[in-house]
Amino acid sequence: MANVIRAIEALADVIIANKEKLTELDAAIGDADHGINMARGFEAVKAKLKTAQPDDIGAVLKLVGMTLISTVGGASGPLYGTAFLRAAAIAQGKTTVDGPMAGQMLAAAITGIKERGKAVQGEKTMLDALEPAYNAFQYGLSMNKTMAECLELAVNAAQDGVEYTKTIIATKGRASYLGERSLGHQDAGATSSYLILAALTQLAKKQSQAGEP
Amino acid sequence: MVGIVIVSHSAKVAEGIRELALQMAAPNQQILAAGGMADQSIGTDAMLIKDAIVAANSGDGVVVMVDLGSAVLSAELAIEMLEDQALLVKIADAPILEGTIAATVEASVGRSLSQVVATAEGARDMHKQS
Ligand SMILES: Nc1ncnc2c1ncn2[C@@H]1O[C@H](COP(=O)(O)OP(=O)(O)O)[C@@H](O)[C@H]1O
Ligand SMILES: [Mg+2]
């Protein structure tokens, strides 16, 4: 439980620290607000976590989802909001997370994003980071790797996915207005998804070194 | 009477369209603006939209008018979050200003939700010069 709250705080801090960078990426092919949106959302999440007393991981993730929905503002609000709410449904009543459950949460989050945004991989969105990350995570699980190791595989795949977004044309979201002019630019949402996974991986590594579950 | 919710990234746009629509509205017709974020910044807020849908419903359902891309995402999420899943609500695939005016007139004479939505969507083909 405390681990999960710490994980949310860690990913909030990474997003807030990268506010400028994410906004710059969105400026090139969007409306220059992704970092501002996401930082505003995660500042609100941090503030709420200070006073809330969630009973289980589901409640923590629900709080995150609901807060993002009403504070982020851009497309990433309903998309990440839906993702966290779907993951929350898996974690309802749970106070610990193991590898398979983390995989299920990631799968549910991705399904939620796809249903909400009606995008698929290859359209220059956050899905281009998240889907390969999920596949790598599941591969790690099938090789009996630890959660930290699985996350490491996932984050590397997400990074490749972010690079891949430079080579494709946006067909969803605001960047799609630019058509071919979106080529060569890295997608902001894929980058924030990568940053979130990177923060979780960092923390999982630290915790496994410290011998925590 | 079918209620109308106007969803724009800008609170001013939503409020302005509401003002124009009210000129064509029947007394007591429910037309609500759900634009921008609670802290006045640009964006859409599914919670705000959800509350507006509930408030706009007088039993005959609600049509939701939307502006750019992610307004649709927030409106769909708002509908998914409604406690009363029996509440009739539809997002019109229509230009937000012309569609709202057309929907207002259609709703004001007591037409059904599907008729109001169809009329709003018909505004896509309205011409300003013949
Ligand atoms: N339909 C969609 N499905 C998945 N991701 C999307 C979709 N539309 C936009 N995105 C993601 O959201 C990011 C933009 O977020 P943000 O700037 O906060 O919203 P907005 O585009 O409304 O300004 C994009 O970089 C992209 O990754
Ligand atoms: Mg943007």
Side-chain angles (χ1 to χ4, degrees), chain A residues 37 40 66 69-75 77-79 82 85-86 115-118 174 177, chain B residues 9 37-39 41-48 68-70 72-74 76-77 80-81:
Chain A
N37 290 343
R40 180 172 58 219
M66 295 302 277
I69 284 166
S70 53
T71 53
V72 171
L79 291 167
T82 302
L85 290 182
R86 295 292 174 89
E115 284 175 12
R116 178 71 54 232
K118 298 175 184 77
R174 251 174 227 275
Y177 291 118
Chain B
H9 279 64
M37 308 290 295
D39 71 352
S41 42
I42 296 276
T44 54
D45 174 348
M47 302 303 286
L48 200 82
L68 304 171
S70 63
V72 182
L73 304 189
S74 286
E76 285 174 350
L77 180 54
E80 212 175 275
M81 289 193 303

Side-chain angles (χ1 to χ4, degrees), chain A residues 22 25-26 29-38 72-77 79-80 113-114 116-120 123-128 165 171-175 186-193, chain B residues 9 43-44 69-71 73:
Chain A
L22 291 172
L25 291 172
D26 193 33
I29 50 172
D31 55 350
D33 64 359
H34 187 57
I36 297 168
N37 290 343
M38 293 290 285
V72 171
S76 50
L79 291 167
Y80 278 125
I113 291 171
K114 285 169 121 174
R116 178 71 54 232
K118 298 175 184 77
V120 294
E123 298 199 85
K124 203 177 180 104
T125 70
M126 50 180 77
L127 289 172
D128 294 315
T165 63
T171 48
K172 280 283 170 345
R174 251 174 227 275
Q186 164 180 343
D187 178 59
T191 309
S192 59
S193 286
Chain B
H9 279 64
T44 54
S70 63
L73 304 189

Side-chain angles (χ1 to χ4, degrees), chain A residues 23-158:
Chain A
T23 295
E24 252 167 58
L25 291 172
D26 193 33
I29 50 172
D31 55 350
D33 64 359
H34 187 57
I36 297 168
N37 290 343
M38 293 290 285
R40 180 172 58 219
F42 278 100
E43 291 281 8
V45 165
K46 278 179 74 176
K48 283 210 182 149
L49 279 177
K50 280 212 180 88
T51 54
Q53 288 178 325
D55 296 329
D56 59 28
I57 299 171
V60 176
L61 298 178
K62 188 168 176 202
L63 178 149
V64 176
M66 295 302 277
T67 307
L68 294 181
I69 284 166
S70 53
T71 53
V72 171
S76 50
L79 291 167
Y80 278 125
T82 302
F84 277 95
L85 290 182
R86 295 292 174 89
I90 306 276
Q92 210 177 356
K94 304 270 170 41
T95 51
T96 55
V97 196
D98 58 9
M101 183 178 145
Q104 279 174 25
M105 282 157 59
L106 191 53
I110 291 171
T111 304
I113 291 171
K114 285 169 121 174
E115 284 175 12
R116 178 71 54 232
K118 298 175 184 77
V120 294
Q121 214 177 329
E123 298 199 85
K124 203 177 180 104
T125 70
M126 50 180 77
L127 289 172
D128 294 315
L130 291 172
E131 293 230 71
Y134 171 70
N135 292 335
F137 189 92
Q138 290 301 102
Y139 170 76
L141 282 182
S142 74
M143 303 302 281
N144 291 318
K145 293 188 183 297
T146 65
M147 177 120 83
E149 289 167 339
C150 291
L151 276 169
E152 179 106 59
L153 291 171
V155 82
N156 289 337

